[in-house]
Amino acid sequence: MNLHISLLSVSTLAAAVMAATTTMAQPLSPKMMRGPVAPPSSQESASLLARLAAFDQARETTRTLTAPRYSFRLAAHHPGAEGQKISRVQHTYEGLRVFGSEAVVVTDSTGAIVSASVTDRRPGAHSLAAGTAAASAPAPADLKPKLSPQQAITVAIRSVRDGMPKIEHRWQPVAELLLYPVVTSTRTAAAANKQEAQLNALDVQEVVQRYALAYYVKTRMVRDRQPVYHDTIVDARTGEIIAQWQALQTAGDAGGGTGTGTGTGTGNSQYNGVVALSTSPSGSQFRMLDATRGKGGRFGGMAITNADHSSMYNPDPGDVYVNATNTWGDGKQYNGGSTSDANGQTAAVNAFWGLMNTYDTNRNVLGWQSLDGNNTATHIAVHVDRDYDNAFYDDRCKCMFIGDGGSYFYNLGSIDVIGHEMSHGVTAATADLVYSGESGGLNESHSDIGGEMVEAYARAGGTGAVIPAKGNDWMVGQEISRDKKPLRYMVKPSLDGRSADAWSTSLKQLDVHYSSGPNNRMFYFLAQGSNADPASDAHSKYLVKSPQAMTGIGNDKAYRIWFRALSTKFTSSTNYAVARAKVLEAAQELYGAGSKEAVAVQRAYAAINVGEDIDEAK
């Protein structure tokens, strides 16, 4: 039997059960995120879990959630709006994590629950979202694995190494025993007779067909200078590979900030002209280290390091850039010579200016500090390998690696690419969207959105508390492309020949860089509006209400709404249909239930075939 996944936003219900009060009827002034939060004490953790257990029991009618069979595991914490804290809580069954089953819990300064957003994939869960108690899929009767963790790792490595004999580990593989819901999509009853091409994202629902006792294996390897990162689900009893996806978070497929450091340098950037750099003096020299943006980390502050052609087999980023003067770079593409002379420094200038502006965009506009919200410093390593046509974020070190480019790209340190990669770190610290299927597309889309908003902020001078309405080009990575074709077009994603413009049942089969397309287009419509002319790239055939050209709400409001949904409502398995519901909730909380912003969210998602279109208020 199948289990219909319950995907609930339970702010009101949680408030009633926990005696936590919150009013959503009136629009709230957008608040800055609070500063870094300390991990909860054992007493605070126990109190939160007790409140969650009580909430769970209150909303259940078809099962008894008895401990220790059903329980919770606190996975992560990060700042919320001022006065609030956000906890990521995993569901467990018989002590095993249930993959993709979790809750995002917002608490106030007293520890009371303000809101909870739940994805329930536990055995026996029923679908309150559908208004019915669906038949449950039973958990495996035997929860004892026949494979050891090392045997599961061997299975995963063998599958990745097939046809790749020269492959080595960059990080040692790990395996976690868990309960894995095998999920499929089915039509809702109302959509049973619709033609496939007529289906909307809200016409299908995810169901759990069965549960497997499995190992979640993470392998991080390198072959021919290219990272080969995979996540693999291995059946713990049979050794069968149930699922596998690529896990490397890259910008794509080749096929002046407001902070002040202890020194103000001048950089000649390849893409941005002459820029100010917040460097640090070191004796008679200067370093590309900014201790005012982030604390701790590997280098004690935000830093740019010289990998100096170190192979992808070597994860060492090298040393922080040092120069005798506080003038850096020559503004030209790297010519293959020294990585530390003026020409070699240009890649570092690109990266430093991009990283400074990424930090300042999120801090000054949202109050979000660094990647994790807790102001932990990060770094970027440049000059990785030789003629390396890639840039990627690695959550193991919470840092970025940039190549000099080769056949397809120039140096990969453009402002939007750096904003993109660093935004992967923000996703990892918040929703941690699984990098596969629709959730993987949303993961990539957040990075594209982040890159564009950083570009808009930086191009306008990198100051103030608002994302400018204009300034970004809505094309990801155009500057780095040798043929001037961007990695992705946000206005009309299909212009790249591979991305989708709208949701369809086949979306989850695409590479995540292409399944991001519809949400990228949604965000463009939300911010900038659409065009009624069918010949325009900004036209959507799904907008059928009045006016046909929907009205955008501007970059600033669109980014605030999106970030609120990502940080307080999305779970790791959020798909497009759920994203619409959560982004709408975020708009209603920030600007009011009947606000033009909430209407714009509904229209923007309708424009990509997720939900129905509505009229704008006259």
Side-chain angles (χ1 to χ4, degrees):
M1 293 186 290
N2 293 332
L3 161 66
H4 291 251
I5 298 167
S6 180
L7 300 162
L8 311 175
S9 175
V10 291
S11 302
T12 305
L13 193 53
V17 175
M18 305 303 178
T21 59
T22 182
T23 301
M24 298 303 181
Q26 298 298 321
L28 305 175
S29 298
K31 295 180 179 179
M32 298 286 277
M33 306 293 275
R34 66 179 294 185
V37 295
S41 65
S42 57
Q43 184 177 5
E44 290 172 329
S45 296
S47 175
L48 176 59
L49 294 182
R51 291 171 184 265
L52 281 173
F55 162 67
D56 239 17
Q57 292 291 352
R59 75 183 181 90
E60 287 295 339
T61 58
T62 62
R63 60 178 171 171
T64 302
L65 301 177
T66 55
R69 173 164 285 188
Y70 295 96
S71 190
F72 306 96
R73 182 182 301 163
L74 292 177
H77 306 273
H78 61 77
E82 191 61 46
Q84 297 178 348
K85 181 188 297 185
I86 300 173
S87 298
R88 300 271 164 176
V89 183
Q90 299 169 344
H91 292 151
T92 66
Y93 179 81
E94 296 285 6
L96 298 174
R97 177 164 75 98
V98 182
F99 187 86
S101 189
E102 57 202 56
V104 188
V105 185
V106 181
T107 53
D108 64 18
S109 58
T110 69
I113 294 178
V114 175
S115 68
S117 182
V118 182
T119 298
D120 198 342
R121 289 183 166 180
R122 291 171 292 180
H126 64 281
S127 180
L128 292 181
T132 60
S136 63
D142 189 350
L143 295 178
K144 293 182 180 180
K146 288 187 176 180
L147 273 68
S148 68
Q150 187 55 52
Q151 287 174 318
I153 288 172
T154 299
V155 170
I157 292 173
R158 186 182 298 123
S159 70
V160 174
R161 273 186 168 162
D162 185 27
M164 300 182 185
K166 295 181 180 179
I167 192 167
E168 298 180 11
H169 292 294
R170 177 170 184 179
W171 309 110
Q172 285 303 305
V174 294
E176 175 194 3
L177 185 66
L178 47 66
L179 203 60
Y180 184 78
V182 179
V183 176
T184 189
S185 297
T186 63
R187 298 187 182 200
T188 62
N193 296 319
K194 278 190 174 183
Q195 297 292 322
E196 183 78 12
Q198 297 176 331
L199 290 176
N200 183 281
L202 272 59
D203 288 330
V204 299
Q205 57 189 350
E206 293 182 332
V207 299
V208 176
Q209 291 181 310
R210 64 182 179 89
Y211 291 91
L213 182 68
Y215 284 103
Y216 178 28
V217 181
K218 295 183 178 181
T219 52
R220 304 295 184 256
M221 298 186 282
V222 180
R223 178 189 65 118
D224 294 338
R225 302 186 302 164
Q226 298 290 341
V228 181
Y229 287 19
H230 283 85
D231 289 350
T232 307
I233 305 297
V234 179
D235 191 297
R237 296 185 61 79
T238 67
E240 171 195 3
I241 293 180
I242 301 173
Q244 186 177 74
W245 57 90
Q246 294 184 12
L248 183 69
Q249 297 178 339
T250 66
D253 180 5
T258 60
T260 57
T262 52
T264 302
T266 299
N268 295 294
S269 170
Q270 183 172 349
Y271 304 117
N272 312 297
V274 179
V275 296
L277 303 176
S278 184
T279 58
S280 298
S282 178
S284 61
Q285 297 180 311
F286 297 89
R287 306 175 73 204
M288 278 196 174
L289 176 69
D290 184 356
T292 70
R293 291 177 172 88
K295 303 296 181 183
R298 178 163 179 167
F299 300 100
M302 192 174 74
I304 307 301
T305 66
N306 185 1
D308 198 19
H309 304 310
S310 62
S311 169
M312 284 306 305
Y313 293 97
N314 178 8
D316 189 348
D319 297 324
V320 176
Y321 261 91
V322 176
N323 199 29
T325 72
N326 215 0
T327 299
W328 307 75
D330 66 359
K332 299 177 181 179
Q333 168 69 16
Y334 176 62
N335 60 23
S338 169
T339 57
S340 58
D341 66 8
N343 180 250
Q345 292 168 7
T346 299
V349 173
N350 296 340
F352 204 22
W353 191 73
L355 187 52
M356 286 169 53
N357 277 283
T358 300
Y359 181 97
D360 288 350
T361 300
N362 289 330
R363 180 191 62 181
N364 297 344
V365 175
L366 304 170
W368 186 261
Q369 298 183 43
S370 197
L371 305 184
D372 60 2
N374 284 321
N375 208 32
T376 305
T378 185
H379 63 274
I380 296 178
V382 299
H383 294 302
V384 175
D385 224 304
R386 292 183 183 274
D387 301 320
Y388 186 53
D389 254 335
N390 206 354
F392 63 93
Y393 171 80
D394 192 332
D395 199 49
R396 184 72 175 266
C397 63
K398 302 187 186 307
C399 66
M400 180 179 175
F401 295 86
I402 296 180
D404 293 315
S407 301
Y408 301 99
F409 303 122
Y410 298 111
N411 173 270
L412 283 92
S414 65
I415 184 71
D416 55 351
V417 170
I418 291 172
H420 173 105
E421 297 302 342
M422 292 293 101
S423 292
H424 277 306
V426 175
T427 299
T430 54
D432 199 20
L433 290 156
V434 173
Y435 207 57
S436 175
E438 291 189 24
S439 61
L442 295 173
N443 186 317
E444 272 297 314
S445 181
H446 170 66
S447 284
D448 285 347
I449 290 168
E452 290 302 304
M453 295 302 94
V454 168
E455 181 180 18
Y457 190 80
R459 298 292 186 218
T463 61
V466 175
I467 302 286
K470 304 291 183 181
N472 58 303
D473 59 10
W474 300 104
M475 293 184 287
V476 180
Q478 184 185 43
E479 289 175 308
I480 68 173
S481 174
R482 289 185 178 273
D483 64 5
K484 298 305 178 183
K485 294 180 180 179
L487 295 170
R488 283 176 295 285
Y489 302 82
M490 295 189 72
V491 181
K492 189 175 183 180
S494 62
L495 290 174
D496 67 9
R498 290 174 284 190
S499 293
D501 288 335
W503 180 91
S504 71
T505 55
S506 62
L507 189 66
K508 64 179 62 178
Q509 299 169 11
L510 296 179
D511 178 278
V512 294
H513 294 93
Y514 310 133
S515 62
S516 63
N519 200 73
N520 283 353
R521 195 170 206 225
M522 178 285 301
F523 188 84
Y524 174 84
F525 288 146
L526 181 61
Q528 301 293 316
S530 69
N531 194 306
D533 183 358
S536 169
D537 287 343
H539 173 76
S540 170
K541 68 179 182 180
Y542 298 103
L543 291 176
V544 295
K545 297 294 185 177
S546 179
Q548 271 198 306
M550 71 161 284
T551 305
I553 59 175
N555 288 349
D556 187 73
K557 287 183 176 180
Y559 192 46
R560 293 179 192 278
I561 291 169
W562 172 259
F563 192 87
R564 186 180 181 92
L566 177 85
S567 61
T568 71
K569 303 182 186 303
F570 284 12
T571 64
S572 63
S573 54
T574 293
N575 61 17
Y576 267 75
V578 176
R580 173 192 178 276
K582 301 306 182 185
V583 174
L584 178 57
E585 286 177 22
Q588 292 170 336
E589 290 173 3
L590 287 174
Y591 302 107
S595 65
K596 65 179 182 180
E597 292 82 5
V599 170
V601 167
Q602 294 174 78
R603 298 209 74 192
Y605 270 104
I608 62 164
N609 197 31
V610 182
E612 299 298 323
D613 193 17
I614 61 173
D615 290 316
E616 292 181 19
K618 296 181 179 179

